[in-house]
Amino acid sequence: MLRDEERRWWLNGGLRLAMAAALIMLPPALRAADPPGAAPVAGAKEAPGDVDPNQIQVPPPPFSEGIFPCTQCHDGKTVKLNTTPRKLVDMHDDIVLNHGPNRWCLDCHSAEHRDQLHLVDGKLIDFSKSYLLCGQCHGNKLRDWKVGVHGKRTGYWNGQKQYLLCVNCHNPHSPHFKPLKPLPPPVPPDQIVAVEGGRP
Amino acid sequence: MSDTPKTSASSLACGEPQSGSRRRFIRAAGCAAVAAALTGCGNLTTEEFLQRNFRELDKKELAEIIARLEKEYTAKFRKKVTVAATPPMPGVVFGYALDLSRCIGCRRCVYACVKENNQSRDPQIQWIRVLQMDKAEGVNVLHADPYYDPPLVPQEGHFYMPVQCHQCKNPPCVKVCPVKATWQEPDGITVVDYNWCIGCRYCMAACPYGARRFNWGEPHLPPEEINPVTEYLGNRPRPKGVVEKCTFCIQRTRKGRYPACVEICPTGSRKFGNLLDPGSEIRYVIENKRVFLFKEELNTQPKFFYFYGV
Ligand code: SF4
């Protein structure tokens, strides 16, 4: 007999297979209207100067040390699945969830596939594609990020560029950009002393 | 308008213009010695004294000058320093955009620039100035504070506006230079020939952005901190008595790289690219964001844009 979890997985997979089949049979114009999250970042053509997948490198997600893969513990045996929203104790209690009202872990983390995230439509994505998840609510930011206007780009203005993932700058659990200590202010002109022959 | 620069003040002291004088080298050298005695530029070598404006140099002269400078810097900083004269890329005009809604005033850009561009550490020279502004006042230079120093930024009720050379399309600094030691390159970068600058500082008075800096003292740059990859019209070490300014990191951007300030900014506020490329991020900013030009009414036509990214 199939366990509950497994049954759901098959059901889910089967459904998606059927959907894929339906999509294939659709005329090409309709097929292009993918669900927003499903479009690979490079394929989306809504803005001029869209990112070129061969020119963009994204760094790996900034996991806390030793935390990934999640299935080390969340293997369905060591830690039993509990989908009830609650305050976490013993583990992950250091995470402050300060990201809009009524959020909880499994809104983004997949319960069944712990090493992945899921979009609202149930589609699973890797942590390295987390921008698709963020973009579900922050669509305008995702759009700007793709064209290189939100977030930092390094590398070549006329060639290969490195991007950062949203989560490299914004802690997903508490995304507000943290204040920084400013570097020293300039020396006021009246305090600048020029020494003959320069300083050693 | 002719591109021939006027003779420098020091060569005028000889009573004879420099161009063509190499034929009578001995005489010119003698003249230089007299000039040195008269004008007090005693620490100039004959080659330096006779050197022409960068835009008049032929290939051979340029190569000789570069070799001389590399030797001089390498000896002074005790490591291999290269000086390049990278030409502008055809079909490229550089533009810069800074997101005022994101800058938090952390000054990382200021120090990344100092390091990359070999500014004097003492007396201190910085090309970027970050202004702390009052949100209630908006962009109002009368309410700007460059010396803010709280434990953490951004501070409540304030926003931050970094100012550096705006690489104007209509640059007042270039117009006023009496010896044509500063000019706009085809890729839009306004540069200075430090060997031609006479230090009159007219350009500093003319610049409405306060973007130019003068070497009042002998610039001090610790050898271990020098960036040895330099450009003749950019970050090579400067002598005392000349003016310098932001060049959009000419030594990086003419090789396709982003300027140092773009790469350091932790908030990603700084955007850079080719204004002539419709697919560039700079064009996207101009076409899709709320953009403003600082002191637009002066008709300097900056290629440095401020925008609101949110
Ligand atoms: S590094 Fe970026 S955020 Fe910091 S002061 Fe410069 S522009 Fe602003």
Side-chain angles (χ1 to χ4, degrees), chain A residues 144 151 153 155 183-184 199, chain B residues 107 111 122 263 271 281 289:
Chain A
D144 282 357
R153 271 179 169 187
L183 292 180
R199 283 171 208 257
Chain B
R107 292 202 191 93
Y111 289 87
D122 187 14
E263 295 212 332
K271 303 294 155 198
E281 52 234 56
K289 299 289 177 187

Side-chain angles (χ1 to χ4, degrees), chain A residues 14-67:
Chain A
L15 240 159
R16 230 172 297 125
L17 254 173
M19 267 167 62
L23 268 176
I24 288 164
M25 283 181 290
L26 277 177
L30 278 179
R31 219 186 299 157
D34 272 355
V41 74
K45 264 281 169 264
E46 70 266 58
D50 225 358
V51 301
D52 177 345
N54 303 316
Q55 296 201 332
I56 304 298
Q57 302 148 353
V58 183
F63 289 119
S64 332
E65 183 111 23
I67 206 92

